């Protein structure tokens, strides 16, 4: 998808690392997972039989088709970006830690996301490593996903000239 | 995708936890990441501008469009399932730890995967938690992804009758 940045995109990224605080909790809204999307995602990226085959899944540990964990993680990322990260001056995702799939996600589950900022560590170049702990709960209030993410966020003082590491490729 | 299990699927799952050994390394083959796929995946799941917008990405930390980390992780999962996990009696994915995005993935990168089994812990019901450490390297031999996964694998002695936890939903 190539397109020039819209006026909305040009003005959106108003949040810098200085605007973030540990302990603040963010509501990410909800996302409905459909049977078709479970099958499509798993067929492309995680075609284990308990994700793609309704007949074989009956004899599986779960007893029915469940969403791929990578799909569940992708739902968390989508909710995070569309509700908040679009406004942040995110430079890069550094890593993800401690993903736990607490309960299976199945067709027609509506997942509600939250995250809370756990740590903000700013380096001498003005780049802040922001660690957040996120969750997804289903429509019954049951925890389905826990995840800890680490993103690099610009401070207002970020010194771009000292940071040529990424330009090498 | 609903279909009856094929003869190939019915006979494929020949590997039980007893057949696995710590320290064994698995070659996952390679996967070519295209510009179109980077845009498609990110548009659906991670629409940050440095993943989807070639113009805005010029001013980003990377200086060009890079693949979503969730996309990179999905490539690792696809390679793992299609090269090996299809043969294993996997019951469920329990979690993923310590995902590090070591270098950006860009259009036309060919990613080569490996994983090595780190731990196998079997419980009294005959379910083995198998921890593996995986990597993706690009065509220049550069490490792009590190990931530690934990899957539940059946032993031949797995006692299904004692394991009704997952049937509650």
């Amino acid at each position: 998808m190539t397109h020039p940045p819209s006026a909305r995109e040009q003005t959106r990224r108003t949040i810098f690392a200085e605007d973030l605080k540990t302990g603040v909790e963010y509501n990410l809204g909800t996302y409905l997972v459909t049977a078709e999307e479970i099958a499509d995602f798993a067929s492309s990226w995680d075609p284990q039989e308990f994700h793609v085959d309704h007949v074989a899944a009956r004899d599986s540990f779960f007893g029915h088709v469940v969403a791929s964990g990578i799909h569940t993680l992708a739902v968390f990322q989508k909710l995070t970006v569309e509700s908040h990260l679009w406004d942040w001056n995110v430079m890069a995702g550094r890593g993800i830690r401690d993903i736990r799939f607490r309960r299976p996600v199945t067709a027609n589950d509506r997942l509600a996301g939250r995250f809370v900022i756990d740590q903000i560590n700013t380096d001498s170049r003005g780049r802040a490593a922001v660690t957040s702990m996120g969750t997804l709960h289903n429509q019954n209030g049951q925890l389905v996903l826990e995840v800890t993410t680490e993103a690099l966020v610009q401070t207002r003082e970020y010194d771009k000239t000292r940071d040529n590491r990424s330009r090498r490729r």
Side-chain angles (χ1 to χ4, degrees), chain A:
Chain A
M1 199 171 73
T2 310
H3 60 85
S6 66
R8 174 163 162 267
E9 282 167 337
Q10 284 177 326
T11 56
R12 261 201 96 119
R13 303 183 86 207
T14 54
I15 306 290
F16 290 86
E18 294 92 332
D19 305 313
L20 304 176
K21 285 199 181 72
T22 59
V24 172
E25 193 171 348
Y26 294 81
N27 184 344
L28 310 183
T30 69
Y31 186 82
L32 179 67
V33 179
T34 65
E36 188 186 359
E37 191 181 89
I38 289 174
D40 284 351
F41 192 101
S43 297
S44 294
W45 301 111
D46 191 0
Q48 298 183 83
E49 62 184 18
F50 47 82
H51 297 318
V52 296
D53 185 329
H54 285 276
V55 176
R58 279 188 216 139
D59 291 326
S60 73
F61 179 63
F62 298 107
H64 52 76
V65 163
V66 301
S68 165
I70 311 293
H71 183 186
T72 307
L73 184 65
V75 168
F76 177 81
Q77 182 70 6
K78 180 187 182 72
L79 287 175
T80 303
V81 170
E82 294 185 352
S83 64
H84 295 286
L85 291 196
W86 264 342
D87 297 334
W88 294 21
N89 282 279
V90 174
M91 302 168 69
R94 270 196 170 168
I96 307 175
R97 298 201 309 257
D98 303 327
I99 302 171
R100 302 304 289 175
F101 305 113
R102 293 298 187 189
R103 275 178 181 266
V105 171
T106 59
N108 302 315
D109 275 358
R110 181 170 286 280
L111 303 181
R114 303 191 80 79
F115 75 84
V116 59
I117 297 178
D118 187 46
Q119 286 182 50
I120 304 172
N121 295 312
T122 305
D123 69 16
S124 60
R125 282 181 270 194
R127 311 180 309 176
V130 178
T131 304
S132 303
M133 296 166 63
T135 56
L136 290 176
H137 287 77
N138 65 22
Q139 65 282 0
N140 302 315
Q142 296 166 321
L143 180 65
V144 300
L145 176 78
E146 289 177 305
V147 55
T148 301
T149 60
E150 188 187 331
L152 215 51
V153 179
Q154 264 181 246
T155 61
R156 289 192 173 79
E157 289 71 37
Y158 167 57
D159 183 358
K160 205 170 182 173
T161 59
R162 290 184 57 203
D163 201 349
N164 294 311
R165 196 172 58 97
S166 66
R167 306 293 172 135
R168 281 192 213 137
R169 293 191 77 207

